[in-house]
Amino acid sequence: MRKTLVQLALAAMALPLAGTASASDAWPGSKPIHLIVPYANGGSTDLVARQIGNALGKRLNQTVVVENKAGASGVIGTSYVARQPPDGYTLMIGTVSSHAIAPSVTTNLPYDVSKDFTPITTIGTIPDLIVVNPTVPANTLSDFIKLAKSRPGKISYASAGPGTSSNLGAAYFAAEAGISLNGIPYRGSGPALIDVLGGHVDMMLDVIMTSLEPLKAGKLKALAVTSKTRSPLLPNVPTVAESGLPGFEAIIWFAILAPAHMPPALQTKIADNLDAVLAAPDMKKFLLSQGIEAVGTGPVPLAQTIKADTEKWRRIAQIAHIKPQ
């Protein structure tokens, strides 16, 4: 009898492991994989998702359906994914906004970034540029900081709106530099950049790709890039850290996530396939054409990034006196 009970107990203990293995072995099976984009069709996040979805589908010989579930600055699509089963057939492309900034700027967020998702891998990172209108009498970031200190509260910066990465990034820069800037919010980065180009606003933190053409045309001046290392797209533009603010980094990242409680073996299998897709030369080339440096970190570094950035942007939101809305 004792031997029978021990055998039954051991069999019961093995059941979760067997279930995990079968989930991993079965994926991708015959079902289509849905890759959710929590933003509108045609944007940069959507473009990246479709390129990755197409490449992943070819690698797995399986259909990958890219679905846009836009609304509420990404909250609608992200909360949808959080409610799905962790079977590998619903994935999402998340960003620093949806999984690090949103908890600090959104009230009653219907998901918990630390509990409701399984991290899969980081797709890549894209830096902002600190750009100014050519009429601003500063050719380096050090010059700009000196100018701002001589005119406290008089130098203006444009942002895509309260609580956006461009708003928080500028607040972060101002706090680190010890300067006071006049923030002017817009409904999106497009209108914000237009007013910087027109000379109505002095400065902006803008994603590198949308600033490239105006820079080449002499309609903007680039003072610094916000990543830890220089961008291969603008190798002559120094980093903020090189320009006198060591340790400064304010980047946008894209990542693949799944619903919470995914079996580890399945998580690893999906991550390995995605990392192989991201390592392909043609994918790296495509991403760089969008200003994105491919990463392919796997689950653990992504989880660490989400935790560190959530804490970081919470501090910045407090510094900027941004209240959740």
Side-chain angles (χ1 to χ4, degrees):
M1 180 70 177
R2 180 184 177 90
K3 183 177 179 180
T4 302
L5 290 173
V6 170
Q7 289 174 333
L8 288 172
L10 289 173
M13 291 171 64
L15 282 175
L17 295 176
T20 299
S22 63
S24 175
D25 292 342
W27 188 88
S30 59
K31 293 172 60 177
I33 298 164
H34 292 259
L35 179 56
I36 307 301
V37 181
Y39 304 105
N41 187 3
S44 59
T45 308
D46 175 69
L47 188 64
V48 169
R50 291 181 186 280
Q51 194 77 10
I52 289 175
N54 182 56
L56 181 64
K58 289 180 179 178
R59 177 177 174 83
L60 298 173
N61 193 29
Q62 182 55 276
T63 300
V64 176
V65 180
V66 176
E67 292 185 49
N68 298 87
K69 292 186 179 293
S73 299
V75 171
I76 290 176
T78 304
S79 59
Y80 167 82
V81 172
R83 300 192 301 270
Q84 303 309 303
D87 55 9
Y89 295 103
T90 302
L91 305 173
M92 74 167 291
I93 182 167
T95 68
V96 66
S97 295
S98 63
H99 281 77
I101 292 177
S104 298
V105 299
T106 308
T107 55
N108 301 317
L109 198 64
Y111 59 86
D112 186 323
V113 296
S114 65
K115 297 178 180 178
D116 293 339
F117 301 92
T118 298
I120 303 297
T121 195
T122 305
I123 295 168
T125 62
I126 181 170
D128 277 330
L129 281 176
I130 297 181
V131 294
V132 296
N133 184 274
T135 60
V136 174
N139 293 318
T140 67
L141 193 64
S142 178
D143 290 342
F144 182 82
I145 292 171
K146 289 176 183 177
L147 178 68
K149 286 183 176 180
S150 71
R151 304 178 186 176
K154 301 294 184 182
I155 303 296
S156 58
Y157 76 88
S159 77
T164 60
S165 59
S166 58
N167 172 220
L168 289 173
Y172 176 31
F173 161 64
E176 292 294 298
I179 58 178
S180 175
L181 299 173
N182 178 27
I184 301 177
Y186 289 80
R187 290 189 174 184
S189 57
L193 184 60
I194 287 172
D195 267 13
V196 176
L197 290 168
H200 305 296
V201 187
D202 299 310
M203 185 269 279
M204 181 179 178
L205 265 70
D206 186 40
V207 290
I208 195 168
M209 285 309 297
T210 53
S211 290
L212 272 180
E213 290 305 316
L215 283 170
K216 292 176 182 178
K219 296 179 180 179
L220 285 175
K221 289 191 291 189
L223 302 184
V225 64
T226 61
S227 48
K228 287 183 178 179
T229 58
R230 296 191 183 197
S231 169
L233 294 175
L234 290 170
N236 293 325
V237 177
T239 67
V240 175
E242 287 179 280
S243 304
L245 299 178
F248 185 97
E249 182 184 39
I251 59 172
I252 296 166
W253 46 258
F254 301 85
I256 300 293
L257 301 106
H261 310 302
M262 176 175 281
L266 179 57
Q267 177 190 25
T268 299
K269 186 174 184 179
I270 297 173
D272 288 347
N273 277 280
L274 280 163
D275 287 348
V277 164
L278 293 169
D282 58 342
M283 181 60 73
K284 288 185 174 183
K285 183 178 180 180
F286 164 77
L287 290 173
L288 191 58
S289 75
Q290 303 302 308
I292 302 169
E293 293 187 57
V295 178
T297 60
V300 174
L302 173 56
Q304 293 170 340
T305 294
I306 292 172
K307 181 179 179 181
D309 273 14
T310 300
E311 294 171 355
K312 172 182 178 176
W313 292 113
R314 181 178 291 117
R315 293 194 304 270
I316 302 305
Q318 292 171 348
I319 291 171
H321 303 293
I322 296 172
K323 295 182 179 180
Q325 296 181 353

